[in-house]
Amino acid sequence: LGSASVSGSTLTASITQYDYLAHRVPSTLSATVVTSTSINGSTSSSGGTGTPTTFTSTPLSATYPNYNYNTPAALSDIAGAWNGNLLDGSAAAVSIDSAGVLSGTNLGCSFTGTVTPRASGKNVFNVAIHFGASPCTTPNQDASGIAISYITNTHRQFIAAVENAAKTQGNMFIALR
């Protein structure tokens, strides 16, 4: 996130989005926020290269009552094997042990890292990843970000988003089990 400001119920921010190829797209966000209730707005790319988007959202807990942001994240919820997809639609396999040590593969690229509950006690994980050598698109580089996990009807969903330190590459992993 570049910078953000709030005036009354209006949020404006310079943000970084990533396209389906994990490339950086500098953007702006403008939204109306009702605390703990909703956010409605739009994003547009600063360079005109991305597609403008509009969005309306309510807190995750409104749609998925099993998710409570104000309870600590639990490694026991995410430990185990995950098979999912990245932004480009390619398959990825991730394994997380009970201590939060992560390992994974995607199209011949191997990566390792950690997933740790936030010290704030909120239901969010910090993620740190180190990519292996080629064929990784960011060989021998590090990325960090966040993850959340919650129950969707009868399945557990895991969503992680990371970006490299230079903020030039980013990706998401989305999986259900």
Side-chain angles (χ1 to χ4, degrees), residues 18-23 87-88 137 169-171:
Y18 293 94
D19 66 15
Y20 72 97
L21 295 173
H23 295 114
L87 280 177
D88 67 0
T137 56
Q169 293 278 318
N171 220 320

Side-chain angles (χ1 to χ4, degrees), residues 82-147:
W82 293 91
N83 293 303
N85 296 90
L86 301 180
L87 280 177
D88 67 0
S90 65
V94 170
S95 180
I96 303 167
D97 74 12
S98 61
V101 176
L102 173 149
S103 61
T105 60
N106 166 252
L107 301 175
C109 169
S110 295
F111 49 91
T112 59
T114 58
V115 181
T116 56
R118 283 235 166 132
S120 66
K122 301 300 182 186
N123 200 355
V124 178
F125 297 92
N126 291 323
V127 179
I129 293 176
H130 178 76
F131 294 97
S134 185
C136 294
T137 56
T138 52
N140 303 310
Q141 291 188 39
D142 296 325
S144 61
I146 65 167

Side-chain angles (χ1 to χ4, degrees), residues 14-160:
S14 62
I15 62 172
T16 299
Q17 298 185 88
Y18 293 94
D19 66 15
Y20 72 97
L21 295 173
H23 295 114
R24 181 178 190 261
V25 180
S27 303
T28 57
L29 177 141
S30 178
T32 301
V33 178
V34 178
T35 303
S36 299
T37 304
S38 65
I39 182 169
N40 303 295
S42 62
T43 65
S44 60
S45 64
S46 300
T49 58
T51 303
T53 58
T54 59
F55 59 88
T56 299
S57 186
T58 57
L60 191 60
S61 58
T63 306
Y64 301 104
N66 292 322
Y67 180 82
N68 184 344
Y69 176 73
N70 291 311
T71 61
L75 284 172
S76 59
D77 288 341
I78 62 168
W82 293 91
N83 293 303
N85 296 90
L86 301 180
L87 280 177
D88 67 0
S90 65
V94 170
S95 180
I96 303 167
D97 74 12
S98 61
V101 176
L102 173 149
S103 61
T105 60
N106 166 252
L107 301 175
C109 169
S110 295
F111 49 91
T112 59
T114 58
V115 181
T116 56
R118 283 235 166 132
S120 66
K122 301 300 182 186
N123 200 355
V124 178
F125 297 92
N126 291 323
V127 179
I129 293 176
H130 178 76
F131 294 97
S134 185
C136 294
T137 56
T138 52
N140 303 310
Q141 291 188 39
D142 296 325
S144 61
I146 65 167
I148 60 172
S149 181
Y150 53 92
I151 300 292
T152 64
N153 298 323
T154 59
H155 298 308
R156 176 160 292 280
Q157 180 152 22
F158 181 70
I159 302 171

